[in-house]
Amino acid sequence: MNVMAKAEKKISSAFIYFFGSFGGILFGYDIGVMTGALPFLQADWHLENAASLVGWITSAVMFGAIFGGALAGQLSDKFGRRKMILMSAIVFMVFSVLSGVSPDMGEASAYYLIIVRMLLGLAVGAASALVPAYMSEMAPAKARGRLSGLNQTMIVSGMLLSYVVDFLLKDLPGEWAWRLMLGLAAVPALILFLGVLRLPESPRFLLRKGDEAQARKVLSYIRKNPAEIDQELASIKETAKEERQANQKTSWSTLFSGKYRYLVIAGVGVAAFQQFQGANAIFYYIPLIVQKATGQAASSNLMWPIVQGVILVVGSLVYMWIADKFNRRTLLMVGGAVMGLSFILPAVINWMMPNMNPMTIVLFLCIYVAFYSFTWAPLTWVLVGEIFPLAIRGRASGLASSFNWIGSWLVGLIFPIMTASMPQEAVFAIFGIICILGVIFVKTCVPETRGHTLEEIEEQGTNHGRVKASNPEN
């Protein structure tokens, strides 16, 4: 026991924050890898005219993630964030390899790959729910926006990594190219597993389970001031005491009780809007978007995903710089407004000037990605990690993650079908309207959380619920 304690004391806060957010690499790699693999897979399996099958192969991971997020959220409340991240890494490794060795059995191959990628999605969805919850519970309130933003930096770094891997492998024979692209996802999963083996459990989870000594020890790794540790422990204990006094037993119905409804709707709504705004249509299909705009083969357009990836990484770094300088709501509303206009304007310009340069839409997509990268992309996961009260955090984070993945799955599934039946400009204009609706939702339904402790955010939501209960007409 003493040897283990000494080993734990050597864990630096930088190590904790790095590997605590490293699950985002898995999330990002699998978002991005199909972008480059799809053109080769289509050619290898002769799927060029099978829009629905292409949509299912692309979106299968997101379909599995719907259930992975909800399941991991519940299990993490019972077994802890750390153990569930480890399990996610193992599942991710296994099914990444199985994706890469898909048998060539005609049309049955597509169904095999769809099923395997659905199971892989369980791990992707789990990571998307667990990482924000873990990071928010480890980060101090004054730096929570910046440190939780590490998750987004990891996600977009994983996407950029997948784009670069796709580009480097594009000259291999078609069958080998897409198989290696998918199979190499096991490498970051292995790195995550080895890193998380040394991570401590969340202090809030430990205290909730009655292990105050270990919770104090973990806080000592990441808080420099003993008085700050005492204050944080006291705050968490007070919240836990109130929950015990109320004999709170969480269930799905608990999430939408008067006490929690306001915060749950806010967090789940932001998570859903992030995906229904259409960002992943760009990330999954940018080579095919450029192909439709210019007539060039999709497999020759793999530099465009790298351009998008670089914009995303730079944007995530910009976010970390401004995260705790601007209100969350302000960034979401400004970002959503510009994103909406970036989708709507190409349709307007094309209507006014039918001979518009087809690359104009790609330029506007780059503007969309730039603003998305430092507003909705990182802030969604920051809010999901910090807005839910401790008693329901695991379950509510899982629900938010599931709604996020429902949006991602639907966008991935229907985008190729939509673009096969209508102009691309019209498709993106629909997403632009959804972006504007997201701005309205943030304005009316989302509280400000910057600079507040998790316990203060919970009190804010509880007070809002009491006001609504006493003034039902409001």
Side-chain angles (χ1 to χ4, degrees):
M1 182 65 71
N2 290 336
V3 174
M4 290 182 65
K6 289 179 180 178
E8 283 190 337
K9 289 181 180 178
K10 295 178 181 178
I11 302 175
S12 69
S13 59
F15 183 93
I16 291 172
Y17 293 137
F18 179 81
F19 278 103
S21 61
F22 194 83
I25 291 281
L26 277 62
F27 183 177
Y29 188 96
D30 217 88
I31 286 176
V33 70
M34 190 54 76
T35 303
L38 192 57
F40 298 100
L41 179 62
Q42 282 181 302
D44 189 28
W45 285 357
H46 309 292
L47 300 175
E48 291 87 348
N49 298 315
S52 59
L53 264 184
V54 168
W56 268 107
I57 290 172
T58 304
S59 64
V61 165
M62 290 80 83
F63 185 80
I66 295 169
F67 305 99
L71 184 63
Q74 293 183 65
L75 293 177
S76 72
D77 281 344
K78 183 176 182 179
F79 299 110
R81 317 318 187 205
R82 175 182 171 275
K83 287 181 181 178
M84 293 310 302
I85 294 174
L86 283 171
M87 287 299 301
S88 300
I90 294 172
V91 172
F92 198 98
M93 277 188 283
V94 171
F95 289 103
S96 293
V97 173
L98 291 178
S99 296
V101 297
S102 299
D104 194 346
M105 304 178 296
E107 187 173 323
S109 301
Y111 295 109
Y112 167 89
L113 187 56
I114 289 169
I115 292 171
V116 168
R117 283 177 57 76
M118 283 183 183
L119 295 171
L120 174 62
L122 294 175
V124 176
S128 72
L130 295 169
V131 170
Y134 182 85
M135 289 298 290
S136 69
E137 292 180 359
M138 301 297 277
K142 63 182 179 182
R144 193 170 58 242
R146 185 172 69 255
L147 288 173
S148 295
L150 276 175
N151 179 47
Q152 178 62 20
T153 300
M154 290 294 187
I155 291 172
V156 296
S157 295
M159 292 172 67
L160 180 57
L161 175 64
S162 72
Y163 296 151
V164 171
V165 169
D166 290 349
F167 184 80
L168 293 176
L169 297 178
K170 68 182 177 64
D171 293 326
L172 291 175
E175 180 179 1
W176 281 101
W178 70 263
R179 291 182 183 279
L180 280 174
M181 290 171 185
L182 299 183
L184 285 174
V187 175
L190 176 61
I191 295 171
L192 173 66
F193 180 82
L194 296 176
V196 174
L197 282 176
R198 292 196 62 214
L199 285 187
E201 184 52 84
S202 154
R204 282 177 172 79
F205 175 81
L206 290 169
L207 202 58
R208 185 179 181 185
K209 294 300 182 181
D211 194 347
E212 181 175 345
Q214 187 64 21
R216 181 180 293 276
K217 180 183 289 187
V218 173
L219 282 174
S220 71
Y221 302 153
I222 51 180
R223 306 286 190 270
K224 301 299 182 183
N225 188 339
E228 183 182 1
I229 295 173
D230 292 338
Q231 182 179 1
E232 187 161 350
L233 282 172
S235 181
I236 299 170
K237 287 166 67 176
E238 180 61 29
T239 302
K241 180 180 177 181
E242 291 176 1
E243 292 165 2
R244 286 194 299 271
Q245 288 175 343
N247 194 28
Q248 181 70 56
K249 293 183 179 180
T250 61
S251 63
W252 288 112
S253 61
T254 304
L255 301 185
F256 296 97
S257 67
K259 180 178 180 181
Y260 299 124
R261 184 187 304 120
Y262 171 60
L263 295 178
V264 170
I265 290 174
V268 172
V270 168
F273 267 110
Q274 187 207 40
Q275 290 303 330
F276 282 109
Q277 289 168 340
N280 280 349
I282 303 172
F283 304 143
Y284 299 142
Y285 297 111
I286 185 65
L288 299 180
I289 292 169
V290 177
Q291 174 181 285
K292 189 163 185 176
T294 65
Q296 298 174 356
S299 58
S300 66
N301 289 316
L302 296 189
M303 183 58 72
W304 278 106
I306 295 178
V307 172
Q308 305 288 348
V310 170
I311 294 173
L312 285 168
V313 171
V314 171
S316 74
L317 297 176
V318 170
Y319 170 74
M320 291 180 69
W321 178 51
I322 67 173
D324 296 303
K325 298 178 182 179
F326 296 93
N327 285 344
R328 317 279 198 242
R329 282 160 43 90
T330 300
L331 289 174
L332 287 172
M333 288 188 286
V334 171
V338 176
M339 287 155 53
L341 291 174
S342 298
F343 274 163
I344 294 170
L345 286 178
V348 174
I349 294 172
N350 188 59
W351 174 66
M352 297 176 65
M353 297 185 297
N355 295 323
M356 175 185 78
N357 187 320
M359 288 302 290
T360 301
I361 191 171
V362 180
L363 173 63
F364 275 101
L365 293 185
C366 290
I367 296 172
Y368 173 100
V369 171
F371 276 82
Y372 175 81
S373 68
F374 67 86
T375 58
W376 279 84
L379 278 168
T380 294
W381 301 112
V382 172
L383 278 167
V384 166
E386 69 187 4
I387 201 170
F388 300 127
L390 178 61
I392 61 167
R393 184 165 300 138
R395 194 183 295 266
S397 295
L399 181 65
S401 175
S402 292
F403 268 84
N404 186 267
W405 284 110
I406 288 171
S408 182
W409 166 60
L410 287 174
V411 169
L413 177 63
I414 68 175
F415 182 78
I417 299 172
M418 292 173 70
T419 54
S421 59
M422 68 177 75
Q424 286 192 141
E425 294 83 359
V427 175
F428 284 119
I430 293 171
F431 289 131
I433 294 170
I434 296 174
C435 289
I436 301 304
L437 293 175
V439 173
I440 297 171
F441 177 81
V442 171
K443 175 70 175 176
T444 57
C445 300
V446 178
E448 184 54 57
T449 59
R450 179 174 73 100
H452 296 286
T453 66
L454 300 181
E455 286 66 40
E456 288 170 346
I457 295 169
E458 177 172 350
E459 182 179 359
Q460 182 180 358
T462 301
N463 291 340
H464 188 278
R466 289 172 182 158
V467 171
K468 286 291 184 182
S470 61
N471 298 283
E473 70 277 8
N474 294 330

